[in-house]
Coordinates of all heavy atoms in Angstrom, one line a residue:
K42 N -11.5 -4.8 7.8 CA -11.2 -6.1 8.5 C -10.1 -6.8 7.7 O -9.8 -6.6 6.6 CB -12.5 -6.9 8.3 CG -13.7 -6.5 9.1 CD -14.8 -7.4 9.0 CE -16.0 -7.0 9.8 NZ -17.2 -7.8 9.7
A43 N -9.4 -7.7 8.5 CA -8.3 -8.5 7.9 C -8.9 -9.4 6.9 O -10.0 -10.0 7.0 CB -7.6 -9.3 8.9
E44 N -8.2 -9.5 5.7 CA -8.7 -10.4 4.6 C -8.7 -11.8 5.1 O -7.7 -12.3 5.7 CB -7.8 -10.2 3.4 CG -8.2 -11.0 2.3 CD -7.3 -10.9 1.0 OE1 -6.3 -10.1 1.1 OE2 -7.6 -11.5 0.0
E45 N -9.8 -12.5 4.9 CA -9.9 -13.9 5.3 C -9.1 -14.7 4.3 O -9.2 -14.8 3.1 CB -11.4 -14.3 5.2 CG -11.6 -15.7 5.7 CD -11.3 -15.9 7.2 OE1 -11.4 -15.0 8.0 OE2 -11.0 -17.1 7.5
R46 N -8.2 -15.5 4.9 CA -7.4 -16.4 4.0 C -8.1 -17.6 3.6 O -8.9 -18.2 4.4 CB -6.0 -16.8 4.8 CG -5.1 -15.7 5.0 CD -3.9 -16.1 5.8 NE -2.8 -15.1 5.8 CZ -1.7 -15.2 6.5 NH1 -1.4 -16.2 7.2 NH2 -0.8 -14.2 6.4
R47 N -7.9 -18.1 2.4 CA -8.5 -19.3 1.9 C -8.1 -20.5 2.6 O -6.9 -20.7 2.8 CB -8.2 -19.4 0.3 CG -9.0 -20.3 -0.4 CD -10.4 -19.7 -0.8 NE -11.1 -20.5 -1.7 CZ -11.2 -20.3 -3.0 NH1 -10.7 -19.1 -3.5 NH2 -12.0 -21.1 -3.7
H48 N -9.1 -21.3 3.0 CA -8.8 -22.5 3.7 C -8.6 -23.7 2.7 O -9.6 -24.0 2.0 CB -10.0 -22.8 4.7 CG -9.6 -23.8 5.8 ND1 -10.5 -24.6 6.4 CD2 -8.5 -24.0 6.4 CE1 -9.9 -25.2 7.3 NE2 -8.6 -25.0 7.3
L49 N -7.4 -24.2 2.6 CA -7.1 -25.2 1.6 C -6.7 -26.6 2.2 O -5.6 -27.0 2.2 CB -6.1 -24.7 0.6 CG -6.4 -23.4 -0.1 CD1 -5.3 -23.0 -0.9 CD2 -7.7 -23.6 -1.0
N50 N -7.6 -27.2 2.9 CA -7.3 -28.3 3.7 C -7.7 -29.6 3.1 O -7.6 -30.7 3.6 CB -7.9 -28.3 5.1 CG -9.4 -28.3 5.1 OD1 -10.0 -27.9 4.1 ND2 -10.1 -28.7 6.1
S51 N -8.2 -29.5 1.8 CA -8.6 -30.8 1.1 C -8.3 -30.6 -0.4 O -8.1 -29.5 -0.9 CB -10.1 -31.0 1.3 OG -10.9 -30.0 0.6
A52 N -8.2 -31.8 -1.1 CA -8.0 -31.7 -2.5 C -9.1 -31.0 -3.2 O -8.8 -30.3 -4.2 CB -7.9 -33.2 -3.1
D53 N -10.3 -31.1 -2.8 CA -11.5 -30.4 -3.4 C -11.3 -28.9 -3.3 O -11.5 -28.2 -4.3 CB -12.8 -30.9 -2.7 CG -13.3 -32.2 -3.2 OD1 -12.9 -32.6 -4.3 OD2 -14.1 -32.8 -2.6
A54 N -10.9 -28.5 -2.1 CA -10.7 -27.0 -1.9 C -9.6 -26.5 -2.8 O -9.7 -25.4 -3.3 CB -10.5 -26.8 -0.4
I55 N -8.5 -27.3 -2.8 CA -7.4 -26.8 -3.6 C -7.8 -26.7 -5.1 O -7.4 -25.8 -5.8 CB -6.2 -27.8 -3.4 CG1 -5.6 -27.7 -2.0 CG2 -5.0 -27.5 -4.4 CD1 -4.8 -28.9 -1.6
Y56 N -8.5 -27.8 -5.6 CA -9.0 -27.8 -7.0 C -9.9 -26.6 -7.3 O -9.7 -25.9 -8.3 CB -9.7 -29.1 -7.3 CG -10.3 -29.2 -8.7 CD1 -9.5 -29.4 -9.7 CD2 -11.6 -29.0 -8.8 CE1 -10.0 -29.4 -11.1 CE2 -12.2 -29.0 -10.1 CZ -11.4 -29.2 -11.2 OH -11.9 -29.2 -12.5
E57 N -10.8 -26.3 -6.4 CA -11.7 -25.2 -6.6 C -11.0 -23.9 -6.7 O -11.3 -22.9 -7.4 CB -12.8 -25.1 -5.4 CG -13.8 -26.1 -5.5 CD -14.8 -26.1 -4.4 OE1 -14.8 -25.1 -3.7 OE2 -15.6 -27.1 -4.2
Y58 N -9.8 -23.8 -5.9 CA -9.1 -22.5 -5.9 C -8.2 -22.4 -7.3 O -8.1 -21.4 -7.9 CB -8.1 -22.5 -4.7 CG -7.2 -21.3 -4.7 CD1 -7.6 -20.0 -4.5 CD2 -5.8 -21.5 -5.0 CE1 -6.8 -18.9 -4.5 CE2 -5.0 -20.4 -5.0 CZ -5.4 -19.2 -4.7 OH -4.6 -18.0 -4.7
M59 N -7.7 -23.5 -7.7 CA -6.7 -23.5 -8.8 C -7.4 -23.7 -10.2 O -6.9 -23.3 -11.2 CB -5.6 -24.6 -8.6 CG -4.6 -24.3 -7.5 SD -3.8 -22.8 -7.7 CE -2.9 -22.9 -9.3
H60 N -8.5 -24.3 -10.2 CA -9.2 -24.7 -11.5 C -9.4 -23.4 -12.4 O -9.1 -23.4 -13.6 CB -10.5 -25.4 -11.3 CG -11.2 -25.7 -12.6 ND1 -12.4 -25.1 -12.9 CD2 -10.9 -26.5 -13.6 CE1 -12.7 -25.6 -14.1 NE2 -11.9 -26.4 -14.5
P61 N -9.9 -22.3 -11.8 CA -10.1 -21.1 -12.7 C -8.8 -20.6 -13.2 O -8.8 -19.9 -14.3 CB -10.8 -20.0 -11.7 CG -11.4 -20.9 -10.6 CD -10.5 -22.1 -10.5
I62 N -7.7 -20.7 -12.5 CA -6.4 -20.3 -13.0 C -5.9 -21.1 -14.2 O -5.3 -20.7 -15.1 CB -5.4 -20.3 -11.8 CG1 -5.8 -19.3 -10.8 CG2 -4.0 -19.9 -12.3 CD1 -5.0 -19.4 -9.5
M63 N -6.2 -22.5 -14.1 CA -5.6 -23.4 -15.0 C -6.5 -24.0 -16.1 O -6.0 -24.6 -17.0 CB -5.0 -24.6 -14.2 CG -3.9 -24.2 -13.3 SD -3.1 -25.6 -12.4 CE -1.5 -25.1 -12.2
Q64 N -7.8 -23.8 -16.0 CA -8.7 -24.4 -16.9 C -8.5 -24.2 -18.3 O -8.8 -25.1 -19.2 CB -10.1 -24.1 -16.5 CG -10.5 -22.7 -16.6 CD -12.0 -22.4 -16.2 OE1 -12.8 -23.3 -16.1 NE2 -12.3 -21.2 -16.0
D65 N -8.1 -23.0 -18.7 CA -7.9 -22.7 -20.2 C -6.5 -22.6 -20.7 O -6.2 -22.2 -21.8 CB -8.6 -21.3 -20.4 CG -10.1 -21.4 -20.2 OD1 -10.7 -22.3 -20.5 OD2 -10.6 -20.3 -19.6
L66 N -5.5 -23.1 -19.8 CA -4.1 -23.1 -20.2 C -3.9 -24.1 -21.4 O -4.3 -25.2 -21.3 CB -3.3 -23.3 -19.1 CG -3.3 -22.2 -17.9 CD1 -2.3 -22.7 -16.8 CD2 -2.8 -20.9 -18.5
D67 N -3.1 -23.7 -22.4 CA -2.7 -24.7 -23.4 C -1.3 -25.2 -23.3 O -0.9 -26.0 -24.1 CB -3.0 -24.1 -24.8 CG -2.2 -22.8 -25.0 OD1 -1.4 -22.4 -24.1 OD2 -2.4 -22.1 -26.1
T68 N -0.6 -24.7 -22.2 CA 0.6 -25.3 -21.9 C 0.7 -25.5 -20.3 O -0.2 -25.0 -19.6 CB 1.8 -24.3 -22.2 OG1 1.6 -23.1 -21.5 CG2 1.9 -24.0 -23.7
E69 N 1.7 -26.4 -20.0 CA 1.7 -26.7 -18.5 C 2.2 -25.6 -17.7 O 3.2 -24.9 -18.1 CB 2.5 -28.0 -18.3 CG 1.9 -29.2 -18.6 CD 2.5 -30.5 -17.9 OE1 3.3 -30.3 -17.0 OE2 2.2 -31.6 -18.4
E70 N 1.7 -25.4 -16.5 CA 2.2 -24.5 -15.5 C 2.3 -25.2 -14.2 O 1.4 -26.1 -13.9 CB 1.3 -23.3 -15.3 CG 1.5 -22.3 -16.5 CD 0.7 -21.0 -16.2 OE1 0.1 -20.8 -15.1 OE2 0.7 -20.1 -17.1
A71 N 3.2 -24.9 -13.4 CA 3.4 -25.4 -12.1 C 3.3 -24.3 -11.0 O 3.9 -23.2 -11.2 CB 4.7 -26.2 -11.9
W72 N 2.5 -24.5 -10.0 CA 2.2 -23.6 -8.9 C 2.5 -24.2 -7.6 O 2.3 -25.4 -7.4 CB 0.8 -23.1 -9.0 CG 0.4 -22.1 -10.1 CD1 0.4 -22.4 -11.4 CD2 0.1 -20.7 -10.0 NE1 0.0 -21.4 -12.2 CE2 -0.1 -20.3 -11.3 CE3 -0.1 -19.9 -9.0 CZ2 -0.5 -19.0 -11.6 CZ3 -0.4 -18.5 -9.2 CH2 -0.6 -18.1 -10.5
I73 N 2.9 -23.4 -6.6 CA 3.1 -23.9 -5.3 C 2.2 -23.0 -4.4 O 2.1 -21.8 -4.6 CB 4.6 -23.7 -4.8 CG1 4.8 -24.4 -3.5 CG2 5.1 -22.3 -4.7 CD1 4.8 -25.9 -3.6
L74 N 1.5 -23.7 -3.6 CA 0.6 -23.0 -2.6 C 1.2 -23.1 -1.2 O 1.6 -24.2 -0.8 CB -0.7 -23.6 -2.5 CG -1.5 -23.8 -4.0 CD1 -2.9 -24.4 -3.7 CD2 -1.6 -22.4 -4.6
L75 N 1.5 -22.0 -0.6 CA 2.2 -21.9 0.7 C 1.1 -21.7 1.8 O 0.3 -20.8 1.7 CB 3.2 -20.8 0.8 CG 4.2 -20.8 -0.3 CD1 5.1 -19.6 -0.2 CD2 5.1 -22.1 -0.3
L76 N 1.0 -22.6 2.8 CA 0.0 -22.6 3.7 C 0.5 -22.5 5.2 O 1.7 -22.8 5.5 CB -0.8 -23.9 3.7 CG -1.3 -24.4 2.3 CD1 -2.0 -25.7 2.4 CD2 -2.2 -23.4 1.6
N77 N -0.3 -21.9 6.0 CA 0.1 -21.9 7.5 C -0.3 -23.2 8.2 O -0.8 -24.1 7.5 CB -0.5 -20.6 8.2 CG -2.0 -20.7 8.3 OD1 -2.6 -21.7 8.1 ND2 -2.6 -19.5 8.5

């Protein structure tokens, strides 16, 4: 089956997606999320 794309239509959804990536970083990182 085609992989289900993450639905990021709210700040809560975006935070839930990015928090595991950023929670333990000791320096700043910037990410861009590209959406359809």
Side-chain angles (χ1 to χ4, degrees):
K42 292 181 179 179
E44 184 181 359
E45 185 65 27
R46 289 180 171 175
R47 194 77 173 255
H48 201 208
L49 302 177
N50 63 337
S51 68
D53 279 340
I55 295 164
Y56 175 76
E57 286 178 13
Y58 176 72
M59 290 303 301
H60 179 247
I62 297 171
M63 294 185 152
Q64 63 180 342
D65 296 324
L66 296 176
D67 56 6
T68 57
E69 279 201 18
E70 286 188 1
W72 287 67
I73 191 75
L74 307 181
L75 306 176
L76 313 176
N77 65 17

